[in-house]
Amino acid sequence: TKPGPLKATLVAGKSAVGGGSGPNVHPSTTLIALKHEQLSPDDLEQKLRRFSPPVIARIADDLVMLDLRTVDKNDEPELLQAIDTLND
């Protein structure tokens, strides 16, 4: 990402798989943890959700978390573009 108020860090984590099919399944993953100098995690999450195509994230420990296990390699350029818009 370009320099600006957004800080992005790669962290080890667990995926949230979901309710019915695997409520106790949490495979290891790499997360992009996002923090912004002026925007709250809720504001960041909403901006990502409004991007086209929408980026779905979760909030944990006051950070917006993007699970790379759920991102197809072909979608990486669009994800990077969405993250870069958070610096505007």
Side-chain angles (χ1 to χ4, degrees):
T1 63
K2 59 191 172 196
L6 181 71
K7 303 297 178 222
T9 308
L10 293 178
V11 297
K14 299 287 183 180
S15 287
V17 173
S21 64
N24 296 319
V25 177
H26 304 285
S28 295
T29 190
T30 299
L31 303 167
I32 301 174
L34 301 174
K35 184 153 186 87
H36 198 280
E37 292 174 4
Q38 289 95 25
L39 300 175
S40 72
D42 288 331
D43 291 337
L44 283 178
E45 189 272 337
Q46 285 300 314
K47 284 181 175 282
L48 288 169
R49 193 175 291 258
R50 289 187 203 115
F51 192 77
S52 181
V55 176
I56 306 304
R58 66 182 191 252
I59 298 173
D61 300 325
D62 229 17
L63 299 167
V64 174
M65 302 291 200
L66 303 171
D67 187 347
L68 291 179
R69 188 185 64 79
T70 65
V71 178
D72 186 273
K73 186 175 180 101
N74 294 327
D75 296 331
E76 288 175 7
E78 290 175 316
L79 176 61
L80 291 173
Q81 183 182 4
I83 292 170
D84 275 344
T85 66
L86 300 174
N87 262 328
D88 296 337

